[in-house]
Amino acid sequence: MQMSLQQRVLYYSTLVVLALFCVLPIVVIFATSMRQQVQIFAEPLNFLFFPTLENYRAVLTEDKFDRYLVNSLIVGLVSTALTLILGSMCAYGLARFRFKGREVVAYTTLMLRTVPLAVLAIPVFMIWNEWKLVNSLSGLILLYVAVNLPFTIWLLYGFVLQIPIELEESAVIDGCSPVQLFIRVLLPLLAPGLAAAAIFTFRIAWNEFILALVLTDRHTRTLPVAASLFITDMGVDWGKVMAMASLIAIPPLIFTFIAARQIITGLTAGAVKG
């Protein structure tokens, strides 16, 4: 159905407003990171100012940024890889094997993802403390795998259902073992779903704050926790906080733009009910 001129104007005007609404926080964060502390608290606020990179220099050179960056990369990449491996196998089992309660298990995995992460902080800390996993990157990785696994299973479950089972039967006839079938046949076909799951998994592991704050120390902090160090009894150094926030936002934004088409394809396929 073709839209009239007024409908098109209203449609694109709405899109522009929504885009500005989404972009505005990013612009504010970046602009604040380029101001000196005096300029941030100046009254009235001056929208015309001489930008400075002092906040970025301080964050990158004086505040152990490299250590926190390495910690975040290790936690984000390793937890994402483990989540995709386990999630793809679980999704395949749910989609292909028929057993009583299969639908209940599939829907329950998605419901588990709705649990707020803040609720898990105290019980997870007590359990991890008993298991000697507090203040370690392995403990944080294990937790993020558990947190992200339900959504990954649900997403890939719907995607596996769209793969014709005849392809698997043909591969078996040609002599593929179960491992070869999974690696050579299924994983390439699951690529869009894996890309979508990887982006969402990595974003959560990269940006999460509450659990990382509770379970890490000064040696195992991630970047979001490091950003909180600029909040002291003397006040908040908003310039450095926003500089850190800008740097933290760069990797997820790059990955999202690169895999945008894969995300749309994966979510569309994953949304189909079995």
Side-chain angles (χ1 to χ4, degrees):
M1 181 178 179
Q2 189 173 3
M3 293 186 296
S4 65
L5 178 59
Q6 292 181 342
Q7 289 175 327
R8 287 201 299 270
V9 171
L10 178 61
Y11 175 75
Y12 288 108
S13 298
T14 304
L15 290 180
V16 170
V17 171
L18 291 176
L20 292 176
F21 182 77
C22 294
V23 171
L24 182 60
I26 300 176
V27 174
V28 172
I29 290 174
F30 183 71
T32 305
S33 69
M34 304 289 286
R35 294 172 181 262
Q36 296 179 356
Q37 191 79 345
V38 176
Q39 295 173 328
I40 295 174
F41 292 98
E43 294 183 3
L45 180 62
N46 188 4
F47 292 96
L48 298 177
F49 64 95
F50 186 77
T52 177
L53 296 177
E54 177 60 26
N55 293 319
Y56 289 94
R57 187 200 65 79
V59 168
L60 292 173
T61 61
E62 297 180 3
D63 298 297
K64 300 179 182 178
F65 179 85
D66 54 344
R67 175 187 295 177
Y68 304 141
L69 175 61
V70 170
N71 290 341
S72 290
L73 287 174
I74 292 175
V75 171
L77 295 176
V78 174
S79 64
T80 298
L82 292 176
T83 302
L84 293 182
I85 294 172
L86 296 176
S88 58
M89 291 190 293
C90 293
Y92 179 76
L94 284 175
R96 288 293 186 257
F97 297 103
R98 305 294 174 178
F99 54 90
K100 187 176 181 180
R102 182 173 69 97
E103 294 293 335
V104 175
V105 173
Y107 282 100
T108 302
T109 58
L110 184 62
M111 292 176 61
L112 292 175
R113 184 61 187 86
T114 62
V115 178
L117 296 183
V119 176
L120 302 176
I122 295 178
V124 166
F125 176 81
M126 296 176 65
I127 296 173
W128 261 227
N129 190 47
E130 289 291 331
W131 293 352
K132 310 300 181 183
L133 292 175
V134 176
N135 300 330
S136 67
L137 294 181
S138 59
L140 203 57
I141 291 171
L142 179 61
L143 178 58
Y144 288 151
V145 171
V147 168
N148 289 312
L149 199 54
F151 176 78
T152 301
I153 294 173
W154 173 254
L155 178 62
L156 297 179
Y157 167 74
F159 205 89
V160 171
L161 291 176
Q162 308 310 305
I163 301 177
I165 196 171
E166 289 78 11
L167 292 177
E168 302 173 37
E169 295 173 347
S170 299
V172 172
I173 293 175
D174 291 337
C176 280
S177 66
V179 175
Q180 292 174 329
L181 171 66
F182 186 77
I183 295 176
R184 296 183 179 180
V185 178
L186 292 176
L187 288 185
L189 296 175
L190 287 174
L194 290 172
I199 293 298
F200 284 95
T201 301
F202 180 80
R203 286 171 63 92
I204 292 175
W206 181 267
N207 294 324
E208 199 279 325
F209 173 75
I210 296 295
L211 298 177
L213 176 66
V214 174
L215 299 177
T216 59
D217 59 9
R218 60 192 180 93
H219 299 293
T220 57
R221 289 188 184 112
T222 56
L223 288 177
V225 179
S228 67
L229 299 179
F230 301 120
I231 304 175
T232 65
D233 295 338
M234 303 299 294
V236 181
D237 194 335
W238 287 109
K240 291 182 181 179
V241 171
M242 295 304 175
M244 180 72 84
S246 300
L247 296 171
I248 292 173
I250 291 175
L253 286 176
I254 293 176
F255 293 154
T256 301
F257 282 121
I258 292 175
R261 181 177 299 178
Q262 299 287 358
I263 292 176
I264 296 174
T265 303
L267 288 178
T268 303
V272 178
K273 294 174 63 177

